[in-house]
Amino acid sequence: KGGGRISPDDFRHVALAETVSTNSECLAKAREGDPGNLWITAGRQTGGRGRRGRAWVSEPGNLYASLLLIDPAPIARLHSLPLAVAVAAHRAIRTVMPPAAPPVEIKWPNDILVDGKKVCGILLEGEELADGRRALVIGIGVNVGVAPEGALYPATSLRREGASASPEELFAHLFLAVAEMLALWDHGTGVARVIELWRSAARGIGETITVNLPDRSLSGRFAGIDHDGRLLLDTGAGTQQAIAAGDVFFG
Ligand code: BTN
């Protein structure tokens, strides 16, 4: 990079009425040689994907957005990228909530909760392209008008929590917040600041939580996160575990 700071002008946006998955759409563009910094949004998705192989029910009325980045950073730095995006989504959602609204918090690793219920999930997908470039797609789904039934974690929508913004209005805030947080993250010492912002918005640090892993559950005191975004869990007698992926439950 030429040392220039990332700015909102660096990003393009394509709005689709419907697609299978905006993440897939971004990966397809990358394979066609797109230079990156491309946002794709859709009014609905017919095959939306969630974390850990789950489906993301994608009815009209919500925000489905993906950002394609090409070679955004050395691999080692990429672990902290989702944290920056979660802070940006937290900020954008807070902006559209009315005053005296219920708390907006980040749930590790990068969900956003309003009043303790999930309104936003983030899915990162990467791919090594045929020409050697690395594509990274950050997919963000926000329940703006509709909350899915029967989700793994209790869900709500921004409308139910008192916000009147449309998906388009929320996207305008998200677009700016992500550019701002990527600029911070991209800047030398910015990762420490990103982690500080993440911590100050996070739910449950210092509390007892349960983390469901594919093969077992762990309970302990949520001590915080490390620079790679791993959850630090104190499981008693001076033992701390660093967890890279799992589903957190509070209280
Ligand atoms: C999660 O499981 O919490 C992550 C959900 C991510 C959903 C978004 S919606 C836009 C983008 N396209 C997808 O297929 N998934 C992400």
Side-chain angles (χ1 to χ4, degrees):
K1 287 208 186 100
R5 290 283 294 239
I6 294 171
S7 97
D9 296 337
D10 297 338
F11 297 90
R12 291 160 297 139
H13 174 209
V14 172
L16 305 173
E18 177 187 313
T19 184
V20 173
S21 157
T22 53
N23 268 29
S24 306
E25 204 71 54
C26 278
L27 286 169
K29 288 281 180 217
R31 289 182 206 118
E32 290 165 12
D34 191 278
N37 288 3
L38 172 69
W39 279 102
I40 297 184
T41 57
R44 64 183 290 249
Q45 300 182 121
T46 52
R49 295 194 292 274
R51 286 173 63 230
R52 309 183 76 198
R54 293 186 282 251
W56 185 260
V57 178
S58 304
E59 299 297 323
N62 291 340
L63 177 63
Y64 309 105
S66 297
L67 173 61
L68 170 66
L69 300 174
I70 303 285
D71 292 326
I75 300 278
R77 269 175 67 93
L78 289 182
H79 295 289
S80 56
L81 180 59
L83 305 176
V85 175
V87 170
H90 176 262
R91 194 171 280 183
I93 288 168
R94 273 222 335 213
T95 305
V96 302
M97 294 303 291
V104 182
E105 299 161 302
I106 301 175
K107 173 181 179 286
W108 182 86
N110 41 38
D111 293 346
I112 311 296
L113 307 177
V114 176
D115 203 19
K117 287 158 279 180
K118 181 161 169 171
V119 290
C120 168
I122 298 176
L123 175 68
L124 267 92
E125 293 180 303
E127 188 175 300
E128 177 96 46
L129 301 169
D131 60 8
R133 300 180 308 155
R134 174 156 282 278
L136 195 84
V137 177
I138 304 166
I140 305 171
V142 186
N143 303 334
V144 176
V146 200
E149 298 294 328
L152 170 81
Y153 201 82
T156 189
S157 67
L158 297 184
R159 180 169 310 152
R160 194 182 289 168
E161 303 301 329
S164 57
S166 66
E168 291 76 15
E169 283 161 340
L170 178 66
F171 179 70
H173 292 293
L174 184 68
F175 181 94
L176 293 174
V178 168
E180 197 178 322
M181 287 307 302
L182 287 181
L184 183 63
W185 171 81
D186 193 49
H187 187 76
T189 56
V191 169
R193 179 74 184 131
V194 166
I195 288 174
E196 193 179 298
L197 290 168
W198 190 97
R199 282 201 182 108
S200 63
R203 164 138 192 207
I205 294 183
E207 295 172 16
T208 298
I209 61 167
T210 298
V211 187
N212 286 355
L213 308 175
D215 53 335
R216 68 209 156 112
S217 293
L218 286 174
S219 289
R221 185 183 150 275
F222 182 10
I225 55 168
D226 66 14
H227 273 60
D228 289 330
R230 291 181 302 180
L231 183 147
L232 300 174
L233 193 70
D234 291 336
T235 46
T239 344
Q240 191 171 75
Q241 310 227 16
I243 300 167
D247 292 309
V248 169
F249 294 87
F250 301 98

